[in-house]
Every structure is written in structure tokens, then in C-alpha cells.
């Protein structure tokens, strides 16, 4: 499986009872209508770390059902314990998920050999394709060149999402990759175009939840050879990215989605909703994207 294009790091719509099924289906339809090339669920912006195993399975079932094969679905199955990852990956395989994204274990700092062994055992005891997820600022663990080169030897590991924010690190992955079937995906939204120019296959982008058409255009303009237009599209998401940084992930993103009519609910505690003042600031930024994205704004008090 070769993964290409813009893949939103989709938020998880919630309500007082847990997973919001109708909100989830509506968001899936919205994103597919925006031209995305896949859906990345149960990642950091999807609040995977706050959800129970049952909620993850329920959510994945709804997404896969609503997508109905139109785009691939990649689901986060990461955990601290190797056996828990294996259990969830095998559940996702039954549902029809296309590949499992597996973040490095977190909380503790692991050795290179422990990380390699973790992924190797998962690959041996599962059947789904695996996407590595490198986000060292959040996990304290880093898929370095040695770890990456060893994991490239495992056929069922088919890609990596790099959210390190370090382009030199991404270049290292590109240099080491010798497989035509392995995909390198940028996880830092500010560097989508730079990564594509280096040789990336696409991006898993949280901003694509809201400025969907703009993010997709970065990729499509690049593929078409319209580099200056792609550069303009890339620069145009800067204000939105900054607006989402005013709060803890994914509070800002969820507010923006509610503001454009998506019923995604609030983030799970301990993350709080935006303050009234923060909402007003974000509303001003969102106004800049109304024409390009074609949405209308619903102001919250």
C-alpha cells in the first residue's frame, strides 16, 4: 500500500454519552467532500490517550462504515504496553481499517533495542499494515536513524508519520528509505510543502479538519508543478495554525469545527474549552478562510 496526499488527523466527535455517532458521520462526509486522500483517526488530535479501548473500537467502526471504501482509514493503536497494541490492532483488522498507526511507547524513555523489539513483536502478531508515528516532544522517545533502518526491514511496516518538526530528521528518513512501497508522511503542518519538495508522499495534517480545501490544494498544486501557488496556499494556513495554538490540543481545533457547523463537542478533561476571549480571537482568524473553504461561521458565546 502506498499512501499519498493530504490525510486529516481527524478529531473525535464526543457528547455526554461518549462517541457522537452522527457527529462523526457528518465530519467524515465533510472531509471527504473537501477532497482528502485518507483519514487518520485516533491520533493525538483524536484524543486517543483519553479514550477506552471500547470507545476506540466503536469510533473506528463508525468511521469505516461511513467511509465505505471511498478513502483509506488509518487508525491509531498505540499504547505503552506492547500486548495492548497487538490486541487493538487485531480488533481494527476485523473492522476493516486499512492500516494501524502506532505511536512510540511513551512516559518512560526506552532504548533503541526496546523500540525495535516493540514494533517487531507487534508486526509478528498482527496482520494489518503498520505506520510508525514519531512525535518525540510528546513521548520522550525518538525513532532515530538506527531504529528506522531496522524497522524498514519489516515488510508490514509501510510508512512513518514524522511529527518531530525537524526537517533534517525527515531528510534522514528519506535518505535511508530504499523501499518503493514505504510512505513518508509529514506530521508538521507548517512544513507540508517543504517536505513534499524533499520527496515526502503526503502529510497527516490536523489543520485539514477545518481548512481542508486549502491543505488539499497545497498537495495538488505541488503535484501539478504549480510551486508558487502551492507556496501561497502553504503560507495561507499560518494564521490558522497560530490560532489553534492558543489552547491545549485539541481544544482550539474542536472549537473551530463547532464554529463551522460540525458537532464535535468539547475535548475530554482535563483539557478545557476556549475562553470567551480566545473564541473571539479565533473567530476573527476563521473569517479569513470563509471564501476559500466555503463555510459559514456560527459564533459561540
Amino acid at each position: 500500500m502506498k499512501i499519498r496526499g493530504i490525510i486529516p488527523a481527524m478529531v473525535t466527535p464526543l457528547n455526554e454519552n461518549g462517541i457522537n455517532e452522527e457527529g462523526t458521520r457528518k465530519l467524515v462526509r465533510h472531509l471527504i467532500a473537501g477532497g482528502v486522500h485518507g483519514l487518520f483517526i485516533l491520533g493525538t488530535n483524536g484524543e486517543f490517550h483519553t479514550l477506552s479501548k471500547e470507545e476506540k473500537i466503536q469510533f473506528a467502526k463508525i468511521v469505516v462504515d461511513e467511509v465505505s471504501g471511498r478513502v483509506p482509514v488509518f487508525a491509531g493503536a498505540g499504547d505503552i504496553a506492547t500486548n495492548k497494541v497487538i490486541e487493538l490492532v487485531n480488533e481494527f483488522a476485523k473492522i476493516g481499517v486499512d492500516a494501524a498507526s502506532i505511536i512510540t511507547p511513551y512516559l518512560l524513555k526506552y532504548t533503541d533495542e526496546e523500540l525495535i523489539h516493540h514494533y517487531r513483536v507487534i508486526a509478528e502478531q498482527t496482520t494489518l499494515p503498520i505506520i510508525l508515528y514519531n512525535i518525540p516532544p510528546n513521548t520522550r522517545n525518538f525513532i532515530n536513524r538506527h531504529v528506522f533502518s531496522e524497522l524498514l526491514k519489516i515488510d508490514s511496516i509501510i510508512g512513518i508519520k514524522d511529527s518531530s518538526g525537524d526537517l533534517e530528521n525527515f531528510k534522514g528518513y528519506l535518505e535511508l528509505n530504499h523501499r518503493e512501497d514505504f510512505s513518508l508522511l509529514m506530521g508538521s503542518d507548517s512544513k507540508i510543502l517543504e517536505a513534499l519538495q524533499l520527496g515526502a508522499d503526503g502529510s497527516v495534517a490536523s489543520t485539514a479538519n477545518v481548512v481542508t480545501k486549502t491543505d488539499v490544494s497545497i498537495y495538488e498544486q505541488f503535484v501539478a508543478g504549480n510551486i508558487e501557488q502551492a507556496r501561497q496556499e502553504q503560507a495561507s494556513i499560518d494564521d490558522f495554525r497560530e490560532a489553534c495554538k492558543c489552547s491545549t490540543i485539541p481544544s482550539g481545533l474542536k472549537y473551530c469545527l463547532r464554529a463551522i457547523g460540525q458537532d464535535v463537542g468539547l475535548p475530554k478533561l482535563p483539557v478545557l474549552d476556549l475562553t470567551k476571549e480566545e473564541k473571539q480571537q479565533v473567530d476573527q482568524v476563521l473569517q479569513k478562510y470563509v471564501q476559500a473553504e466555503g463555510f459559514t461561521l456560527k459564533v459561540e458565546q
Side-chain angles (χ1 to χ4, degrees):
M1 177 192 302
K2 189 69 174 178
I3 305 167
R4 292 187 173 91
I6 298 298
I7 303 158
M10 184 175 157
V11 306
T12 303
L14 300 169
N15 56 29
E16 62 277 7
N17 299 315
I19 303 298
N20 181 341
E21 178 171 350
E22 185 48 44
T24 298
R25 292 183 182 277
K26 182 179 178 182
L27 181 56
V28 167
R29 294 192 295 268
H30 166 74
L31 294 173
I32 291 177
V36 302
H37 305 92
L39 295 176
F40 184 96
I41 64 172
L42 298 171
T44 306
N45 284 279
E47 302 174 90
F48 83 93
H49 48 288
T50 71
L51 302 174
S52 68
K53 177 183 176 182
E54 293 72 25
E55 287 174 319
K56 293 176 183 179
I57 293 170
Q58 178 192 3
F59 183 64
K61 284 181 178 178
I62 295 167
V63 172
V64 169
D65 180 68
E66 186 62 37
V67 167
S68 191
R70 288 176 287 175
V71 296
V73 177
F74 314 115
D79 205 295
I80 296 173
T82 306
N83 67 301
K84 290 185 178 180
V85 177
I86 292 167
E87 290 172 4
L88 190 53
V89 172
N90 286 332
E91 289 293 335
F92 285 162
K94 298 175 188 176
I95 293 168
V97 165
D98 293 280
S101 166
I102 302 177
I103 196 171
T104 58
Y106 39 94
L107 186 63
L108 301 181
K109 182 72 177 73
Y110 299 97
T111 67
D112 287 356
E113 294 312 308
E114 285 169 333
L115 290 176
I116 293 166
H117 188 67
H118 173 72
Y119 284 106
R120 184 178 290 135
V121 171
I122 293 166
E124 290 171 351
Q125 298 185 32
T126 60
T127 57
L128 273 183
I130 293 169
I131 302 167
L132 307 172
Y133 182 6
N134 183 54
I135 182 167
N138 291 33
T139 65
R140 300 183 65 227
N141 290 288
F142 177 49
I143 298 177
N144 60 30
R145 291 175 67 97
H146 169 63
V147 172
F148 182 74
S149 62
E150 289 299 310
L151 295 180
L152 270 177
K153 299 174 184 178
I154 302 173
D155 290 343
S156 63
I157 296 179
I158 62 161
I160 186 166
K161 174 193 175 186
D162 181 30
S163 297
S164 67
D166 183 350
L167 272 180
E168 290 303 313
N169 178 66
F170 196 79
K171 287 179 186 177
Y173 294 157
L174 287 162
E175 291 167 2
L176 288 168
N177 180 37
H178 58 274
R179 289 170 47 186
E180 291 294 327
D181 65 338
F182 192 92
S183 302
L184 290 116
L185 305 169
M186 173 50 65
S188 300
D189 295 31
S190 62
K191 298 176 172 65
I192 297 172
L193 180 57
E194 287 179 279
L196 291 171
Q197 291 176 307
L198 289 172
D201 297 290
S203 174
V204 178
S206 62
T207 54
N209 280 276
V210 179
V211 289
T212 315
K213 294 177 182 177
T214 303
D215 278 359
V216 168
S217 183
I218 296 171
Y219 177 79
E220 292 183 342
Q221 294 295 339
F222 170 79
V223 170
N226 302 323
I227 305 304
E228 182 53 38
Q229 184 60 41
R231 188 174 290 113
Q232 292 177 24
E233 299 285 12
Q234 176 71 72
S236 74
I237 68 170
D238 286 348
D239 288 345
F240 179 75
R241 288 178 44 254
E242 290 303 313
C244 286
K245 291 180 180 179
C246 71
S247 58
T248 304
I249 292 173
S251 186
L253 197 55
K254 279 199 156 182
Y255 171 71
C256 290
L257 280 163
R258 296 197 308 273
I260 66 170
Q262 294 297 320
D263 186 14
V264 297
L266 299 173
K268 278 204 169 188
L269 297 174
V271 177
L272 296 174
D273 191 15
L274 272 60
T275 64
K276 181 178 180 180
E277 291 73 21
E278 288 170 338
K279 289 178 180 179
Q280 290 172 344
Q281 293 171 7
V282 172
D283 287 339
Q284 292 177 357
V285 173
L286 283 175
Q287 289 286 353
K288 301 179 181 181
Y289 301 93
V290 168
Q291 185 173 353
E293 296 294 329
F295 52 60
T296 55
L297 297 182
K298 175 184 176 183
V299 177
E300 288 185 8
Q301 299 301 319

